Amino acid sequence: TRGDEVLFSGEQCCPPDVVVFPHCVEEVSALAKVCHNHHLPIIPFGTGTGLEGGVGALKGGVCFSLRNMDQVLDLHQEDFDVTVEPGVTRKALNAYLRETGLWFPVDPGADASLCGMAATSASGTNAVRYGTMRENVLNLEVVLADGTIIHTAGKGRRPRKTSAGYNLTNLFVGSEGTLGIITKSTLRLYGIPEAMVSAVCSFPSVQAAVDSTVQVLQAGVPIARIEFLDEVMIDACNRFSSLSYPVTPTLFLEFHGSERSVEEQVNLTEDITQSNGGSDFQWARDAETRNSLWKARHDAWYAALALRPGCKAYSTDVCVPLSRLPQIIVETKEDLMENRLTGPIAGHVGDGNFHCLMVVDPSDPEEQHRVHLFTERLARRALAMDGTCTGEHGVGLGKRALLCEEVGHTAINVMQGLKDALDPKNLMNPGKVLQPREP
Amino acid sequence: TRGDEVLFSGEQCCPPDVVVFPHCVEEVSALAKVCHNHHLPIIPFGTGTGLEGGVGALKGGVCFSLRNMDQVLDLHQEDFDVTVEPGVTRKALNAYLRETGLWFPVDPGADASLCGMAATSASGTNAVRYGTMRENVLNLEVVLADGTIIHTAGKGRRPRKTSAGYNLTNLFVGSEGTLGIITKSTLRLYGIPEAMVSAVCSFPSVQAAVDSTVQVLQAGVPIARIEFLDEVMIDACNRFSSLSYPVTPTLFLEFHGSERSVEEQVNLTEDITQSNGGSDFQWARDAETRNSLWKARHDAWYAALALRPGCKAYSTDVCVPLSRLPQIIVETKEDLMENRLTGPIAGHVGDGNFHCLMVVDPSDPEEQHRVHLFTERLARRALAMDGTCTGEHGVGLGKRALLCEEVGHTAINVMQGLKDALDPKNLMNPGKVLQPREP
């Protein structure tokens, strides 16, 4: 995990009283019943790679580490679906699928567990083409707070679409362990494209890079990845990953499809980037070069940390409608400068989602305070532009108050009503997502 | 509406005591409060084009006809989103968008209201490419049973993705009016493709047509529509729409993309269909010919009715994993033959979803009973193949018992808990989706 380098935005991470390592859903259910009978908090734990403090045991209790449930079950190649236990990570699944011609594209960077990714509604670099966990989970097995086992779409069911009753699957996707423990996920798979090509393009300004992104999407290019890095971020990546890209706002791009389709996508995209003053594409065609490019992108977190050795990091995570991206990024960079903060920007700009990787001296409370005020201003800037305070990291601890501002008290009351209906004793990951009520 | 020709599978449609025609959300909220205070059932009404009896007033009460709230609001062309009131139908929205180069692709056939489509989780012919309402609703304004107004993603918010709190949007999508009244929907829009080409292909057998479908999807062709019609259905369409297609299992296909991409998709698809014994494609390239082709497909309902004048129709709606389609369609056709039933088959086979359009003599109770037993066998056949009893029509009245079989009693209890949390007096469209509890 990268827990050691993470600075949580909310309270400090608290250890649980006990950690249990169940081997099967029946054990999870039996343990949950014990907790339920004794009023013990239950904290589900996958890989601990979440960024919003979701696995902290604020009230003590029992951490359910699910790493021993690590089987890939029921691969249906011809139907493009598979079921996994919670100990299976996305890289483990893709390694398992290697010979099949299929893959699971949702890619949050960290090698997270797939059931944890379902619990936190993860997404990442491929979401612009393949969607987030919301669009890619077909069914979940969930253990409720009282030990009851449910299958959100019915046991073993895996139709590609359904209108049968309330959408329980997408109620548990993104519930951050506060409604139940996910013990199996049935996932959509995709065929590995015939051709995959990556490219890097440098721009004279943030506006030019983001304008290109918007125009590529408006032109209907089915781009697989379109990632923005500001000049601070690309400089950090150059140093950390021994690269030599120009130190200006940059897009990392990837195209998937048939050979001809990819060629057409590339030509159209290059026309657009060049019309915005972008550089010629620097290509990554073979798998090795592509992997090193995306490794550099995924190592952005460590590259940012390396800018200030001994510091910790916290990643902001706002998401706005595409047309608002240039303004919010420009204003945010001004805010960083004015407040003397280190916060390289990287983002899934095809979705309107971007992160400032805030690098903070853990021994400097004044700086931490400035970061805190900055992140609140950034979230409110996104809210003022019809956006959200979290595109993919979730609410966890630090964004509970912002969630109230975002959805309003009537929607918060509905969320609280759902929580009370499913977990009346407030045992499931207590204190996350929703703020404790006034006593 | 096509209500006059519909034979509901459950109880007969019952009229409400009163119909109200609110003009704005404040009026909806005020009227809901009156109903709440007087324990009056609330039945939301869009266009009445649903197929599972969702607008019947089983316990009397107040029908909220939303047709006077018919404004298109807040079109954001550059962000590919729009907000509509509940009186706006999908055809009205697409007419409104005509000059913009954008469209809304979800197409259930009938000219349904978009908020009603959200309420019933509608899909249709384009879902294989563009998804269902689940993937295309960004935000909803909802009036709850007690008159409270909520915005599922926060007022005015429209990021393309979010992880902020529980996914209320997709709890209300598909809730069939049983959790609240949808008074606004914010929808994703798409660019109208540069090229659109339709084709018709005839096959020697059901197996050959469905095998082709599976192989086209496995090959990664981003096909926009792939619709199956069995020989009974194509014969009925030929007669009703004055066409002359061969009377054999048939696929109606549509390809969207750039000129070159469409050409490549067509070539790859034709290779696949020909290797399965399919005919040469019959083309529909210009808009007029394409429209007449899809009008014939959308008129399948009336074409089926015309097979037996004076009869009524009921459409089944199962959905199974792709690989199970050939078996279930072949077994279902045998079942129809053995039981002397008229049920031409049409389906969105790219999703594994198909319908038997059961044409039934309303004066023949014995035939109605045979149809009832047939539809139950068909649903259970789908359930036995890991599928669902409803891919897109919803549960309404007739599938409440099947829903229990599909998801199991523990998941039904969760659904009932959600219903109780949001509508404790059971006023919202009572008797739909969930069965009344034992007294």
Side-chain angles (χ1 to χ4, degrees):
Chain A
T1 86
R2 49 193 189 192
D4 289 350
E5 304 89 10
V6 172
L7 182 80
F8 290 116
S9 65
E11 295 149 64
Q12 283 302 307
C13 185
C14 313
D17 296 309
V18 185
V19 182
V20 294
F21 297 88
H23 291 83
C24 61
V25 64
E26 291 77 16
E27 285 185 13
V28 174
S29 171
L31 287 162
K33 279 180 190 150
V34 172
C35 292
H36 193 251
N37 290 338
H38 293 82
H39 280 74
L40 299 173
I42 295 171
I43 300 96
F45 189 97
T47 52
T49 46
L51 293 170
E52 288 294 343
V55 295
L58 304 185
K59 301 183 172 190
V62 182
C63 174
F64 282 53
S65 171
L66 301 161
R67 70 182 185 201
N68 288 337
M69 296 170 66
D70 63 353
Q71 298 301 300
V72 177
L73 307 168
D74 299 327
L75 170 63
H76 296 101
Q77 282 186 239
E78 68 284 24
D79 294 324
F80 296 72
D81 66 63
V82 71
T83 299
V84 294
E85 291 190 330
V88 179
T89 67
R90 66 178 186 86
K91 286 187 183 172
L93 175 62
N94 281 326
Y96 182 94
L97 294 173
R98 195 165 290 145
E99 304 300 312
T100 64
L102 299 174
W103 70 312
F104 183 72
V106 183
D107 168 17
D111 188 22
S113 83
L114 293 154
C115 290
M117 287 165 60
T120 56
S121 195
S123 48
T125 59
N126 287 304
V128 64
R129 167 75 170 263
Y130 298 96
T132 73
M133 292 304 281
R134 291 185 176 198
E135 290 82 29
N136 287 295
V137 178
L138 295 173
N139 201 348
L140 295 170
E141 180 185 77
V142 179
V143 176
L144 302 180
D146 65 359
T148 302
I149 302 169
I150 68 165
H151 295 86
T152 54
K155 189 168 184 177
R157 310 216 170 280
R158 50 194 182 85
R160 291 167 74 89
K161 70 182 194 189
T162 172
S163 296
Y166 304 151
N167 186 344
L168 299 186
T169 304
N170 270 308
L171 180 61
F172 285 94
V173 170
S175 62
E176 303 189 31
T178 64
L179 300 180
I181 308 163
I182 296 174
T183 51
K184 280 197 190 86
S185 293
T186 302
L187 305 170
R188 288 180 85 136
L189 300 175
Y190 295 80
I192 294 174
E194 179 188 326
M196 300 170 92
V197 173
S198 301
V200 177
C201 185
S202 307
F203 291 87
S205 66
V206 173
Q207 183 87 39
V210 178
D211 282 352
S212 299
T213 303
V214 173
Q215 289 162 24
V216 165
L217 294 172
Q218 283 173 341
V221 177
I223 199 159
R225 288 167 153 168
I226 184 159
E227 296 282 308
F228 172 80
L229 297 87
D230 77 351
E231 74 284 1
V232 186
M233 189 77 256
I234 195 77
D235 189 35
C237 288
N238 278 343
R239 292 163 194 252
F240 187 80
S241 299
S242 304
L243 302 169
S244 54
Y245 294 114
V247 180
T248 66
T250 302
L251 290 177
F252 283 14
L253 308 150
E254 191 163 277
F255 305 91
H256 295 175
S258 66
E259 294 285 357
R260 278 182 59 186
S261 161
V262 164
E263 186 190 329
E264 188 182 25
Q265 292 177 49
V266 164
N267 290 340
L268 190 48
T269 303
E270 209 164 13
D271 285 349
I272 290 169
T273 56
Q274 291 190 346
S275 75
N276 287 293
S279 69
D280 288 343
F281 282 0
Q282 296 199 39
W283 295 104
R285 291 182 187 275
D286 62 292
E288 197 179 335
T289 320
R290 274 197 300 111
N291 289 343
S292 71
L293 174 65
W294 292 107
K295 182 167 189 320
R297 167 65 186 87
H298 283 331
D299 283 343
W301 177 271
Y302 302 104
L305 278 170
L307 290 174
R308 296 177 65 190
C311 284
K312 299 206 171 197
Y314 170 72
S315 174
T316 67
D317 175 38
V318 300
C319 186
V320 296
L322 289 179
S323 66
R324 312 307 298 272
L325 265 178
Q327 186 188 350
I328 193 170
I329 291 182
V330 167
E331 287 181 13
T332 300
K333 288 178 69 67
E334 289 169 1
D335 192 345
L336 287 165
M337 295 278 281
E338 281 166 20
N339 290 282
R340 298 163 288 120
L341 293 170
T342 306
I345 291 176
H348 318 306
V349 284
D351 300 314
N353 182 206
F354 71 93
H355 313 293
C356 301
L357 302 180
M358 305 306 301
V359 188
V360 193
D361 181 349
S363 67
D364 183 346
E366 188 275 333
E367 187 187 55
Q368 287 179 41
H369 185 64
R370 270 188 289 131
V371 167
H372 177 71
L373 295 178
F374 165 81
T375 59
E376 289 211 332
R377 279 194 303 276
L378 173 54
R380 295 207 170 98
R381 198 175 291 132
L383 294 182
M385 293 185 188
D386 301 343
T388 174
C389 68
T390 173
E392 57 181 13
H393 294 171
V395 173
L397 288 173
K399 289 183 174 165
R400 294 174 298 176
L402 287 165
L403 176 64
C404 298
E405 293 180 36
E406 178 164 333
V407 302
H409 73 279
T410 56
I412 287 285
N413 288 345
V414 171
M415 292 184 190
Q416 186 67 57
L418 302 178
K419 168 76 172 171
D420 293 344
L422 285 164
D423 179 22
K425 292 186 178 180
N426 189 26
L427 299 178
M428 287 303 316
N429 209 4
K432 313 296 166 60
V433 182
L434 298 171
Q435 289 181 307
R437 276 167 288 194
E438 309 290 316
Chain B
T1 86
R2 50 193 188 192
D4 288 351
E5 304 88 10
V6 172
L7 181 80
F8 290 116
S9 65
E11 294 148 65
Q12 285 301 309
C13 185
C14 312
D17 296 309
V18 185
V19 182
V20 294
F21 298 87
H23 291 83
C24 61
V25 64
E26 291 76 16
E27 285 184 15
V28 174
S29 171
L31 287 162
K33 278 180 190 151
V34 172
C35 292
H36 193 252
N37 291 338
H38 293 82
H39 280 74
L40 299 174
I42 295 171
I43 299 96
F45 188 97
T47 53
T49 45
L51 293 170
E52 289 293 343
V55 295
L58 304 185
K59 301 182 172 192
V62 181
C63 174
F64 283 54
S65 171
L66 301 161
R67 70 182 185 201
N68 288 337
M69 295 169 66
D70 62 353
Q71 297 302 300
V72 178
L73 308 167
D74 299 327
L75 169 63
H76 296 101
Q77 282 187 238
E78 67 283 25
D79 294 323
F80 296 73
D81 65 63
V82 71
T83 298
V84 294
E85 292 190 330
V88 179
T89 68
R90 65 178 185 88
K91 287 186 183 173
L93 175 62
N94 281 326
Y96 181 94
L97 295 173
R98 195 164 290 146
E99 304 299 311
T100 66
L102 300 173
W103 70 312
F104 183 71
V106 183
D107 168 16
D111 188 22
S113 83
L114 292 154
C115 291
M117 287 166 59
T120 56
S121 194
S123 47
T125 59
N126 287 305
V128 64
R129 168 75 170 263
Y130 299 96
T132 72
M133 291 305 280
R134 290 184 176 199
E135 290 82 29
N136 287 294
V137 178
L138 295 173
N139 201 349
L140 295 170
E141 179 185 77
V142 178
V143 175
L144 302 180
D146 65 359
T148 302
I149 301 169
I150 69 166
H151 295 85
T152 56
K155 189 169 185 178
R157 310 216 170 281
R158 51 195 181 84
R160 290 166 73 89
K161 71 182 193 190
T162 171
S163 296
Y166 304 150
N167 186 343
L168 298 185
T169 303
N170 270 308
L171 180 60
F172 285 94
V173 170
S175 62
E176 303 188 30
T178 64
L179 300 180
I181 308 163
I182 297 174
T183 50
K184 280 197 192 86
S185 293
T186 302
L187 305 170
R188 286 180 87 135
L189 300 174
Y190 295 80
I192 294 175
E194 178 188 326
M196 301 171 92
V197 173
S198 302
V200 177
C201 183
S202 307
F203 290 88
S205 67
V206 172
Q207 182 85 39
V210 178
D211 282 352
S212 299
T213 303
V214 173
Q215 290 162 23
V216 165
L217 293 171
Q218 283 173 341
V221 177
I223 199 159
R225 289 166 154 168
I226 184 160
E227 296 282 307
F228 172 80
L229 297 87
D230 77 351
E231 73 283 1
V232 186
M233 189 77 256
I234 195 78
D235 189 34
C237 288
N238 278 343
R239 292 163 194 251
F240 186 79
S241 300
S242 304
L243 302 169
S244 54
Y245 293 116
V247 180
T248 68
T250 301
L251 290 177
F252 283 15
L253 308 150
E254 192 163 276
F255 305 91
H256 295 176
S258 66
E259 294 285 356
R260 279 182 58 185
S261 161
V262 163
E263 186 190 329
E264 187 182 27
Q265 293 178 48
V266 165
N267 290 341
L268 190 48
T269 302
E270 209 164 13
D271 285 349
I272 290 169
T273 56
Q274 290 190 346
S275 75
N276 287 293
S279 68
D280 289 344
F281 283 0
Q282 295 199 41
W283 296 104
R285 290 182 188 275
D286 61 292
E288 197 179 333
T289 319
R290 275 198 300 110
N291 289 342
S292 70
L293 174 65
W294 292 107
K295 182 165 190 319
R297 167 64 187 87
H298 283 332
D299 283 344
W301 176 271
Y302 301 104
L305 278 170
L307 290 173
R308 295 179 65 191
C311 284
K312 299 208 169 195
Y314 171 72
S315 173
T316 68
D317 175 38
V318 299
C319 185
V320 296
L322 289 178
S323 67
R324 312 307 297 271
L325 264 179
Q327 187 189 350
I328 195 171
I329 291 182
V330 167
E331 287 182 14
T332 300
K333 288 179 69 68
E334 288 168 1
D335 192 346
L336 288 166
M337 295 279 281
E338 280 167 20
N339 289 282
R340 296 163 289 120
L341 293 170
T342 305
I345 291 177
H348 318 306
V349 284
D351 301 315
N353 183 207
F354 71 93
H355 313 294
C356 301
L357 303 179
M358 306 306 301
V359 187
V360 194
D361 181 350
S363 67
D364 183 347
E366 188 275 332
E367 187 187 54
Q368 287 179 40
H369 184 64
R370 271 187 289 132
V371 167
H372 177 71
L373 295 177
F374 165 81
T375 59
E376 289 212 333
R377 278 194 304 276
L378 173 55
R380 296 208 170 98
R381 198 175 291 132
L383 294 182
M385 293 184 187
D386 301 344
T388 174
C389 70
T390 173
E392 58 181 12
H393 294 172
V395 173
L397 289 173
K399 288 183 175 164
R400 293 174 299 176
L402 287 165
L403 176 64
C404 298
E405 293 180 37
E406 179 165 332
V407 301
H409 73 278
T410 55
I412 287 285
N413 288 345
V414 171
M415 292 184 191
Q416 186 68 57
L418 302 178
K419 168 75 173 172
D420 293 344
L422 285 164
D423 179 23
K425 293 187 178 180
N426 190 27
L427 299 179
M428 286 304 316
N429 209 3
K432 313 297 167 58
V433 182
L434 299 171
Q435 289 181 306
R437 276 168 289 194
E438 308 290 315

